[in-house]
Amino acid sequence: AIASYVICDLVNLVAVSHTPGATVAQINGIGMGNLMQNVVAVSFAIGVLDALEALVPQALGMGEMRMTANFLMQGRALTMLCLLWMGPVLYLTEDILTFIGQDLATAAAAGSYNRAAVWGMA
């Protein structure tokens, strides 16, 4: 799962860097946007779902398909609930990065990148 996430980040970076007229601030913005996604969303979601990592194989090993499905749906529900606070934080990336003193052009690029990316997290 982490490898596929890293590959998506790399594809985004390569695509933007090869766009005619791409600026250093835009490329930096992707890096800062991905950093915000990792800190706010990805690491937190992995931590929440790691708790279920032990329960799902046990239920499956016991042949309890209903319990397995329940655990998987609980994990899905937990991540959706997390998005209720993660989405607005990622949507405000530009304001957060500007507040902590990041370059304005980089913060603006990271903000627009995360405002677009937040819709794909649901």
Side-chain angles (χ1 to χ4, degrees):
I2 297 293
S4 65
Y5 183 76
V6 170
I7 290 170
C8 289
D9 289 349
L10 182 62
V11 167
N12 289 341
L13 181 62
V14 170
V16 169
S17 65
H18 283 82
T19 303
T23 64
V24 173
Q26 289 171 327
I27 295 169
N28 290 344
I30 289 177
M32 292 300 283
N34 285 333
L35 174 76
M36 288 287 292
Q37 289 174 25
N38 287 334
V39 169
V40 172
V42 175
S43 61
F44 193 87
I46 287 174
V48 167
L49 293 175
D50 272 352
L52 294 174
E53 188 176 11
L55 300 174
V56 172
Q58 285 180 343
L60 187 62
M62 292 187 308
E64 296 286 339
M65 298 310 280
R66 187 174 213 57
M67 188 184 297
T68 302
N70 283 339
F71 285 142
L72 292 172
M73 290 309 292
Q74 287 172 4
R76 215 169 156 189
L78 280 171
T79 20
M80 289 302 289
L81 285 173
C82 290
L83 282 174
L84 292 175
W85 68 267
M86 290 175 189
V89 170
L90 289 174
Y91 199 81
L92 297 171
T93 295
E94 181 176 358
D95 298 327
I96 294 168
L97 292 177
T98 303
F99 179 75
I100 63 172
Q102 293 299 316
D103 176 62
L104 295 177
T106 300
S112 73
Y113 176 73
N114 275 349
R115 280 189 298 278
V118 77
W119 298 107
M121 292 184 178

